[in-house]
Amino acid sequence: MLSVITHSGGSPEGVADLLFDLVPGAVSGLIRDVILVESEGDGEALVALCQDAGARRLPGGLGVAVREARSDLILLASARLRLDSFALERLGRAVSALKPDTADRGLALTGPAFLGIWFPARPRGLVTTRARLLAFSPGVGLESALARASRGTQRLRIAG
């Protein structure tokens, strides 16, 4: 149902935690595949982690990863995104409820607001279509695409 695209963000530990959180989603069929966009500082530990978790590592940036994703519905995931079983269940229901005309707009996954309702938390993930992500320039980074593509989207608070 979803292809997950993430990057290390300089934190192999964050990727390890995210991959661990995604396992129940893969078992239930919510997560179809996981792609890690390689960056220059990724070490051997991250390579071994991806091999153990069954995640694909791709050089070339976000555009290449979006084209290689197995699903047309993509979850851009920051390494800071945490998905416990309750959050995965809510995400699954929200994704199932997305209609084709609203799926392109996206669904931002956030944590709690920092200063109340006037300052919503920055998104840690975004569910959107492949077509929307392919509209970005090839060299755009994952965090930048996440921030830009989540403007004006529906928000789902799932990460604590």
Side-chain angles (χ1 to χ4, degrees), residues 78-148:
S78 164
R80 299 181 326 269
L81 180 65
R82 292 295 162 262
L83 297 165
D84 59 14
S85 60
F86 178 70
L88 280 169
E89 183 181 320
R90 287 191 67 204
L91 176 60
R93 284 194 311 259
V95 167
S96 296
L98 282 176
K99 296 185 176 35
D101 56 333
T102 58
D104 196 43
R105 202 175 101 201
L107 177 67
L109 310 179
T110 66
F114 292 116
L115 299 173
I117 61 172
W118 296 281
F119 298 101
R122 296 180 72 186
R124 297 178 184 175
L126 174 73
V127 176
T128 192
T129 60
R130 177 191 316 265
R132 184 165 185 208
L133 294 174
L134 287 174
F136 287 109
S137 63
V140 70
L142 189 129
E143 292 291 333
S144 177
L146 180 60
R148 287 194 274 168

Side-chain angles (χ1 to χ4, degrees), residues 4-7 33-37 55-56 58 65 68-70:
V4 178
I5 298 176
T6 190
H7 70 116
D33 65 325
V34 178
I35 299 171
L36 178 77
V37 177
R56 292 185 292 158
L58 292 175
E68 290 291 320
R70 293 185 181 142

